[in-house]
C-alpha cells in the first residue's frame, strides 16, 4: 500500500506546484472514513482509493484530481457527506467527488435501467469537468485488476460486459488507448475465458515459431529509415487478445486468416518526418490497397493522430505500420491526460469541448428514458468512422454505414427533420444512401417535410435515431390528445352534458393529472375510460344513461375520421390503432393486440410481429371490419421491380391514379443499370381495390414484379 509521503513524492516528480497540504488532508480524511472496512480480497478498503490515486499519478494529473481519487468512495461507503467534503476541501473537490460517486441508491425496476440511469447522470457530471471521467476510469481499472476476488462467475461476467460496453469505449473516445487496452484485456478474461486462453495460446505459438521475427523487422525498418536520413524509433507489438477476438467475431474468420497480428510503430520528431518515413516505406515495400489511413491530416474524433498503412514486408508477410511523432505517441496512449504534459492549464477540464461528448449530451436531451439513451449512446461510441464534407468543406465524422439522413442530423437536428433529398458528390442519391470516406454531401430541405418513421430502419447514429423517435413520439402524443378530446366530446353529447375546457380542467384536477392535455392523451391511449372522466367532471353521472356507440379508429401516420369497426370483448371508447408494421386495409383478415397505455393495435393475421405474442393469448382480441359503405382510404405498402428507363415513375403513378388510388410515398432502396426496386405507399379503399391496382401493374411492360410487403421487409402474398 502506498504511503502518504510516497504519494506526494509521485505527484511532485511531475508537478512542482503540488498542493502537498491538500493531498495530506485527503489521505488522512479517507483513511479515517474507511476505517476497518475490507474489500472482497480481504485487503483494507483504503488500499483501493490509494491504488486509484496511484494510477492517476502515472497519467501525471493535478493535485485536485489525485485528492478526488482518494475521496471518491467516502460518500457512498462511509458516513461522510458532500457538505463535509465541501467544508474540508472546498467546492471544486466536493463537485468532483459528487460527480464520481456511484449512484447505487437509485431504486429502479431493473438492472438495465439502473445502469442506464447511472450512465446518463455520469455523463452530465463529466461534461462539466472531464476529470470526473478520468477518476472513474481509474476506479474501474483497479476494480478490474482485482475482479478475480469475486467468487460468482456471473457477477464477474456482468461487470466485464459493462466494462466492454461503457468504460472501454469511453476511454477510447478520450484517446486513452493504453488504459482502454488493459480494460478490454481484463474484461475478456472474465467475459469469455475460453476465448482468451485459446487466443493467448496461439499467440505464444506464433512467437515460438519465429522468435526473432519482431526483432529482425525492427532492425530492418530502423536501418532503412536511417539510410534515408530519418532519425526514428521503431517499436514492434503483438495485437492484443481482445482486438483479435473482436476482429474474429465481427468478420467471422479464423485466427489463421488474420494478416495483422504483428504491427510496428515508427516514431519521429516532427510531423513532416511522418510523411517522409511513409514515402520510404512505400518505395521499399508493395502497398496493400485499401489499408492506408491518414489520421494526421484528419484526426479521429478523440484527437488521435497517426498514419496507418499495410505493406508486404520482409519475408513476404503483411506488415502493419503506424507512423507518428513522439507527442502523438504519448497522446495515443494517454489521450486527454497527455494534455497536462504538453498543454497544462489550457482548459481540458471542460468535457463538453469534445464533439463526441456534445453528441451524447444532445442524445440525452432528445431521449425520453434512460434505456433509450443508453442504446443510442452505445451506437455513438462503438462505430468506426468515415469522414464526409459539407459543400463549404467542413468535416463531419460519422460511423461506418451512416446514411444521408445521419449526415443531416449531424449538421443540425432541424436540418435532419426537414431533409427531403441529398446530393453526394453533386449527384442525387436516395436518403438511405450509405456514405463513404471523402464524400461531399449536400442536404436538400423543405419546410413542409417531417421525419418519417421509415428512417428508423436505416439510420445508424444515436443522434438521428433519438431525434426521429422523439419527433414521432411527440406526433403520436398529439394524435392521442386529439383522439381523446374527440372521444370525450362525443361522450358528453351522448350523455346530454355540455363539453367545455373548464369542465375538463376541473376533471383533470380531480383525477390528479397535470392538465387537460394529459387527460386527453391518457384517454386517447386507452389508459383512461370516458366513464371515469365523466364521473370526475359530472358527479351525478350514471353509466346506464349511456347509449351505444362505436369507438373511433386512427392510423399511426394519419387520423382517419369516420371509419368504424365492429369489436367483441373490448369496452366502448377504447383507442384502436392500425399497426404500421403490416398496414392493415379494409378486407384483410385482422386481429387485435391489447397494448397497455396504447389501446389495441390492429394487425393482419399474417403479420410476423404477432409471433411475439404467441405465449400471451390474454392480449388477443377478435375483431372484424364493419360492412358499412364509407369513403375512407387505407395505406398498403407495395414493392416493385421496374425497368430502369425514362417515364417509369409516370407510368406507375398513372396506373394507380386511373384505378382510383393515390401514391402517398415512394422510395428506391436498390438501383442498378437495368432494374431498380421501388417501394410505394398506395392509398386504397379495401383489399379488392388494392388487388385491382396490382393486377394492372403486372400487365405493364415496365414492371417485372409487384408484391405487397410488411414494413419489416418480409414479402407477403397479395
Amino acid at each position: 500500500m502506498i504511503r502518504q509521503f510516497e504519494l506526494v513524492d509521485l505527484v511532485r516528480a511531475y508537478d512542482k506546484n503540488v498542493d502537498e497540504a491538500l493531498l495530506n488532508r485527503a489521505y488522512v480524511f479517507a483513511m479515517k472514513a474507511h476505517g476497518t472496512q475490507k474489500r472482497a480480497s480481504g485487503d483494507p478498503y483504503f488500499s483501493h482509493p490509494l491504488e486509484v490515486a496511484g494510477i492517476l499519478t502515472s497519467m501525471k494529473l493535478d493535485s485536485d484530481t489525485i485528492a478526488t481519487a482518494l475521496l471518491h468512495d467516502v460518500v457512498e461507503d462511509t458516513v461522510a457527506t458532500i457538505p463535509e467534503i465541501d467544508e474540508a476541501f472546498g467546492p471544486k473537490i466536493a463537485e468532483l467527488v459528487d460527480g464520481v460517486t456511484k449512484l447505487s441508491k437509485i431504486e429502479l425496476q431493473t438492472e438495465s435501467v439502473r445502469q442506464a440511469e447511472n450512465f446518463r447522470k455520469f455523463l452530465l457530471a463529466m461534461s462539466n469537468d472531464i476529470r470526473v471521467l478520468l477518476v472513474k476510469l481509474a476506479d474501474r481499472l483497479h476494480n478490474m485488476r482485482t475482479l478475480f476476488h469475486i467468487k460468482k462467475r456471473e457477477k464477474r461476467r456482468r461487470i466485464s460486459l459493462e466494462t466492454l460496453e461503457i468504460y472501454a469505449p469511453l476511454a477510447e473516445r478520450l484517446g486513452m488507448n493504453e488504459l482502454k487496452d488493459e480494460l478490454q484485456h481484463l474484461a475478456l478474461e472474465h467475459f469469455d475465458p475460453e476465448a482468451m486462453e485459446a487466443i493467448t495460446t496461439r499467440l505464444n505459438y506464433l512467437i515460438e515459431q519465429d522468435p526473432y521475427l519482431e526483432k529482425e523487422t525492427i532492425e530492418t525498418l530502423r536501418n532503412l529509415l536511417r539510410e534515408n536520413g530519418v532519425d526514428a524509433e521503431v517499436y514492434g507489438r503483438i495485437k492484443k487478445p481482445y482486438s483479435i477476438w473482436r476482429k474474429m467475431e465481427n468478420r467471422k474468420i479464423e485466427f489463421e486468416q488474420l494478416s495483422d497480428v504483428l504491427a510496428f510503430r515508427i516514431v519521429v520528431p516532427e510531423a513532416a518526418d511522418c510523411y517522409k518515413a511513409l514515402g520510404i516505406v512505400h518505395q521499399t515495400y508493395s502497398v496493400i490497397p485499401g489499408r492506408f489511413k491518414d489520421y494526421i491530416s484528419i484526426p479521429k474524433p478523440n484527437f488521435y493522430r497517426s498514419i496507418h498503412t499495410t505493406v508486404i514486408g520482409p519475408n513476404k508477410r503483411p506488415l502493419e505500420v503506424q507512423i507518428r511523432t513522439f507527442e502523438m505517441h504519448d497522446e495515443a496512449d494517454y489521450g486527454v491526460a497527455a494534455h497536462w504534459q504538453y498543454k497544462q492549464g489550457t482548459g481540458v477540464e471542460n468535457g463538453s469541448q469534445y464533439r463526441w461528448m456534445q453528441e451524447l449530451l444532445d442524445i440525452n436531451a432528445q431521449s425520453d428514458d434512460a434505456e433509450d439513451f443508453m442504446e443510442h449512446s452505445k451506437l455513438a461510441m462503438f462505430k468506426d468512422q468515415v469522414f464526409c464534407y459539407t459543400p463549404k468543406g467542413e468535416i463531419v465524422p460519422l460511423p461506418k454505414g451512416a446514411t444521408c439522413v445521419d449526415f443531416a442530423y449531424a449538421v443540425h437536428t432541424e436540418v435532419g427533420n426537414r431533409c427531403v433529398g441529398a446530393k453526394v458528390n453533386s449527384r442525387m442519391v436516395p436518403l438511405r444512401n450509405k456514405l463513404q470516406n471523402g464524400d461531399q454531401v449536400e442536404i436538400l430541405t423543405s419546410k413542409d417535410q417531417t421525419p418519417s418513421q421509415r428512417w428508423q430502419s436505416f439510420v445508424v447514429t444515436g443522434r438521428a435515431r433519438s431525434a426521429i423517435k422523439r419527433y414521432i413520439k411527440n406526433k403520436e402524443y398529439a394524435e392521442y390528445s386529439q383522439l381523446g378530446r374527440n372521444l370525450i366530446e362525443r361522450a358528453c353529447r351522448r350523455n346530454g352534458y355540455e363539453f367545455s375546457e373548464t369542465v375538463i380542467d376541473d376533471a383533470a384536477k380531480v383525477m390528479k393529472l397535470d392538465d387537460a392535455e394529459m387527460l386527453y392523451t391518457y384517454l386517447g391511449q386507452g389508459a383512461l375510460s370516458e366513464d371515469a372522466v365523466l364521473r370526475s367532471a359530472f358527479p351525478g353521472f350514471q353509466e346506464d344513461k349511456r347509449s351505444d356507440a362505436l369507438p373511433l379508429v386512427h392510423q399511426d401516420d394519419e387520423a382517419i375520421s369516420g371509419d368504424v369497426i365492429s369489436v367483441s370483448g373490448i369496452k366502448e371508447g377504447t383507442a384502436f390503432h392500425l399497426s404500421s408494421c403490416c398496414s392493415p386495409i379494409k378486407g384483410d383478415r385482422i386481429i387485435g393486440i391489447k397494448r397497455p397505455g396504447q389501446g389495441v393495435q390492429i394487425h393482419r393475421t399474417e403479420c410476423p410481429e404477432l409471433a411475439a405474442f404467441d405465449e400471451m393469448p390474454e392480449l388477443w382480441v377478435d375483431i372484424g371490419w364493419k360492412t358499412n359503405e364509407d369513403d375512407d382510404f387505407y395505406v398498403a405498402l407495395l414493392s416493385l421491380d421496374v425497368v430502369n428507363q425514362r417515364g417509369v415513375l409516370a407510368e406507375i403513378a398513372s396506373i394507380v391514379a386511373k384505378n382510383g388510388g393515390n401514391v402517398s410515398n415512394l422510395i428506391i432502396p436498390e438501383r442498378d443499370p437495368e432494374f431498380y426496386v421501388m417501394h410505394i405507399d398506395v392509398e386504397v379503399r379495401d383489399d379488392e381495390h388494392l388487388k385491382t391496382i396490382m393486377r394492372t401493374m403486372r400487365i405493364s411492360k415496365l414492371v417485372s414484379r409487384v408484391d405487397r410487403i410488411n414494413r419489416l421487409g418480409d414479402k407477403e402474398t397479395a
Side-chain angles (χ1 to χ4, degrees):
M1 191 164 68
I2 303 173
R3 288 177 289 183
Q4 188 171 343
F5 74 89
E6 291 175 330
L7 180 64
V8 174
D9 287 344
L10 284 171
V11 180
R12 184 184 290 112
Y14 61 83
D15 184 3
K16 295 179 180 179
N17 299 317
V18 57
D19 191 340
E20 185 173 343
L22 171 65
L23 296 180
N24 286 333
R25 292 202 315 276
Y27 189 103
V28 173
F29 187 100
M31 183 174 62
K32 287 182 177 179
H34 288 295
T36 58
Q37 291 176 344
K38 301 285 186 182
R39 304 196 80 214
S41 62
D43 294 332
Y45 192 92
F46 181 55
S47 65
H48 168 64
L50 264 181
E51 291 296 331
V52 173
I55 291 170
L56 293 171
T57 62
S58 69
M59 301 178 192
K60 302 182 180 180
L61 296 179
D62 62 312
S63 299
D64 283 357
T65 311
I66 305 303
T68 301
L70 292 170
L71 300 167
H72 79 274
D73 272 342
V74 295
V75 174
E76 180 194 1
D77 295 328
T78 77
V79 296
T81 64
I82 292 296
E84 289 176 359
I85 294 175
D86 192 344
E87 183 178 351
F89 301 97
K92 174 51 70 176
I93 300 294
E95 183 182 339
L96 288 169
V97 172
D98 192 36
V100 180
T101 298
K102 301 184 184 75
L103 301 171
S104 58
K105 293 182 181 179
I106 297 176
E107 294 183 359
L108 297 171
Q109 293 181 345
T110 66
E111 178 65 30
S112 63
V113 175
R114 179 161 55 251
Q115 183 190 88
E117 190 65 37
N118 282 340
F119 180 64
R120 180 183 228 168
K121 294 192 175 185
F122 184 49
L123 170 71
L124 294 175
M126 73 188 185
S127 68
N128 293 326
D129 195 323
I130 199 69
R131 291 176 295 180
V132 169
L133 178 52
L134 299 180
V135 176
K136 190 66 176 178
L137 288 173
D139 171 55
R140 176 51 61 115
L141 178 58
H142 184 250
N143 283 334
M144 291 304 299
R145 287 174 177 175
T146 57
L147 190 62
F148 59 88
H149 288 296
I150 294 178
K151 295 180 180 179
K152 293 183 178 179
R153 176 175 177 177
E154 189 52 41
K155 184 176 181 180
R156 295 198 307 272
R157 195 175 187 277
R158 176 179 57 79
I159 294 171
S160 297
L161 181 60
E162 182 182 64
T163 298
L164 292 173
E165 290 191 342
I166 298 176
Y167 291 97
L170 284 172
E172 182 177 20
R173 280 294 188 243
L174 287 178
M176 305 174 72
N177 289 323
E178 189 173 271
L179 190 147
K180 175 209 70 175
D181 288 343
E182 186 174 357
L183 284 174
Q184 291 174 337
H185 184 90
L186 294 168
L188 186 60
E189 285 184 334
H190 299 283
F191 181 74
D192 195 340
E194 292 81 9
M196 171 63 87
E197 183 179 359
I199 292 171
T200 303
T201 300
R202 297 207 179 180
L203 286 175
N204 292 336
Y205 176 76
L206 183 67
I207 295 171
E208 290 172 4
Q209 287 292 100
D210 196 345
Y212 302 107
L213 174 62
E214 181 179 347
K215 184 177 179 180
E216 290 173 352
T217 305
I218 289 174
E219 194 62 29
T220 299
L221 287 173
R222 186 180 290 128
N223 290 337
L224 175 65
L225 294 166
R226 188 182 299 116
E227 290 167 4
N228 287 274
V230 176
D231 183 22
E233 293 291 335
V234 182
Y235 306 96
R237 65 181 182 90
I238 300 291
K239 284 271 189 180
K240 302 292 184 181
Y242 176 81
S243 177
I244 293 173
W245 174 79
R246 187 175 177 187
K247 187 169 290 188
M248 292 169 62
E249 288 286 310
N250 290 344
R251 297 184 183 177
K252 307 300 180 187
I253 59 177
E254 299 297 324
F255 183 89
E256 291 75 14
Q257 296 173 271
L258 295 171
S259 62
D260 54 356
V261 173
L262 190 62
F264 295 87
R265 286 176 182 156
I266 296 173
V267 187
V268 294
E270 303 294 336
D273 299 326
C274 294
Y275 293 98
K276 187 174 181 180
L278 175 68
I280 295 167
V281 171
H282 279 189
Q283 283 179 339
T284 307
Y285 303 111
S286 298
V287 178
I288 296 180
R291 299 292 297 274
F292 173 76
K293 295 177 182 176
D294 186 350
Y295 295 120
I296 295 179
S297 176
I298 305 178
K300 287 187 176 183
N302 61 5
F303 306 129
Y304 173 85
R305 295 177 296 160
S306 186
I307 295 174
H308 293 193
T309 187
T310 304
V311 298
I312 302 299
N315 302 320
K316 303 302 180 183
R317 296 185 181 183
L319 188 71
E320 181 184 312
V321 180
Q322 299 173 0
I323 307 171
R324 59 181 69 150
T325 67
F326 289 100
E327 181 177 341
M328 295 173 192
H329 187 55
D330 281 347
E331 289 181 346
D333 282 343
Y334 297 107
V336 65
H339 285 259
W340 266 272
Q341 302 169 47
Y342 289 100
K343 303 175 184 177
Q344 192 157 357
T346 56
V348 284
E349 289 185 3
N350 184 5
S352 59
Q353 67 177 290
Y354 298 101
R355 181 183 178 119
W356 64 270
M357 189 175 290
Q358 188 58 54
E359 288 175 356
L360 293 188
L361 291 171
D362 291 343
I363 292 170
N364 179 51
Q366 293 169 355
S367 297
D368 291 324
D369 60 69
E371 287 185 290
D372 273 349
F373 171 60
M374 188 74 150
E375 176 190 348
H376 298 145
S377 295
K378 288 177 183 177
L379 286 171
M381 291 193 296
F382 270 119
K383 298 280 187 177
D384 292 329
Q385 300 285 306
V386 295
F387 297 91
C388 301
Y389 297 84
T390 68
K392 294 182 179 180
E394 297 171 354
I395 297 174
V396 178
L398 292 165
K400 276 188 178 177
T403 65
C404 296
V405 174
D406 293 298
F407 183 95
Y409 277 104
V411 172
H412 195 279
T413 301
E414 210 44 40
V415 174
N417 288 342
R418 302 298 180 192
C419 69
V420 293
K423 290 183 179 180
V424 174
N425 304 323
S426 301
R427 183 175 61 86
M428 286 295 298
V429 297
L431 286 175
R432 65 169 59 239
N433 181 75
K434 291 184 179 180
L435 301 174
Q436 306 297 322
N437 257 325
D439 281 346
Q440 184 188 77
V441 185
E442 179 184 355
I443 299 298
L444 310 178
T445 61
S446 168
K447 63 181 181 180
D448 298 322
Q449 173 71 342
T450 59
S452 168
Q453 194 163 12
R454 296 182 191 87
W455 292 357
Q456 294 184 94
S457 66
F458 60 78
V459 296
V460 300
T461 60
R463 183 170 185 170
R465 284 196 178 180
S466 60
I468 296 166
K469 189 172 183 179
R470 182 179 181 84
Y471 181 90
I472 291 171
K473 185 170 287 188
N474 288 340
K475 180 182 176 184
E476 288 176 350
Y477 283 152
E479 291 175 353
Y480 286 137
S481 176
Q482 185 59 48
L483 176 61
R485 183 186 178 94
N486 293 341
L487 288 173
I488 197 62
E489 283 184 351
R490 281 182 55 196
C492 286
R493 289 196 303 269
R494 190 170 60 235
N495 290 279
Y497 295 115
E498 182 179 351
F499 171 84
S500 73
E501 293 288 351
T502 302
V503 169
I504 300 303
D505 283 336
D506 292 340
K509 292 176 183 177
V510 171
M511 303 180 81
K512 297 182 179 180
L513 300 175
D514 291 348
D515 50 31
E517 190 69 23
M518 181 179 287
L519 184 150
Y520 293 144
T521 302
Y522 283 178
L523 188 59
Q525 289 176 326
L528 285 179
S529 69
E530 296 159 87
D531 291 347
V533 176
L534 291 175
R535 280 195 297 270
S536 299
F538 308 102
F541 169 71
Q542 296 179 357
E543 293 185 25
D544 60 1
K545 188 178 178 182
R546 294 175 298 139
S547 61
D548 291 334
L550 293 166
L552 295 174
V553 181
H554 80 281
Q555 279 188 310
D556 287 347
D557 293 332
E558 186 175 358
I560 298 178
S561 57
D563 183 59
V564 290
I565 61 175
S566 57
V567 181
S568 61
I570 292 295
K571 188 176 181 180
E572 176 196 357
T574 301
F576 292 83
H577 312 285
L578 299 180
S579 176
S580 62
C581 59
C582 56
S583 300
I585 63 176
K586 192 169 184 178
D588 286 335
R589 291 183 302 155
I590 53 175
I591 197 75
I593 298 292
K594 298 178 188 176
R595 302 300 296 268
Q598 300 179 35
V600 174
Q601 285 187 344
I602 301 171
H603 295 260
R604 295 164 62 196
T605 55
E606 303 93 341
C607 180
E609 288 281 283
L610 294 175
F613 303 97
D614 283 346
E615 305 301 322
M616 295 175 277
E618 69 278 4
L619 299 182
W620 294 64
V621 184
D622 288 328
I623 57 177
W625 301 100
K626 191 168 179 63
T627 57
N628 65 315
E629 294 292 330
D630 59 65
D631 297 324
D632 287 325
F633 278 79
Y634 302 83
V635 178
L637 177 61
L638 298 182
S639 176
L640 294 74
D641 286 346
V642 298
V643 178
N644 187 0
Q645 72 177 50
R646 184 174 298 175
V648 66
L649 293 180
E651 171 84 0
I652 299 302
S654 176
I655 290 173
V656 176
K658 286 180 179 178
N659 284 278
N662 181 55
V663 176
S664 59
N665 192 49
L666 180 149
I667 60 173
I668 300 175
E670 299 176 33
R671 185 195 303 261
D672 64 40
E674 300 297 329
F675 289 91
Y676 55 83
V677 177
M678 181 187 298
H679 289 178
I680 60 173
D681 282 334
V682 181
E683 295 178 354
V684 294
R685 289 185 297 275
D686 52 33
D687 63 332
E688 289 300 325
H689 187 193
L690 177 64
K691 289 175 182 177
T692 299
I693 291 174
M694 293 175 68
R695 282 194 294 266
T696 309
M697 286 181 176
R698 289 183 177 122
I699 297 172
S700 172
K701 295 179 180 179
L702 299 181
V703 180
S704 64
R705 176 193 60 84
V706 56
D707 289 306
R708 184 179 177 188
I709 61 172
N710 292 319
R711 304 289 170 185
L712 302 174
D714 299 317
K715 293 182 181 179
E716 298 289 341
T717 303

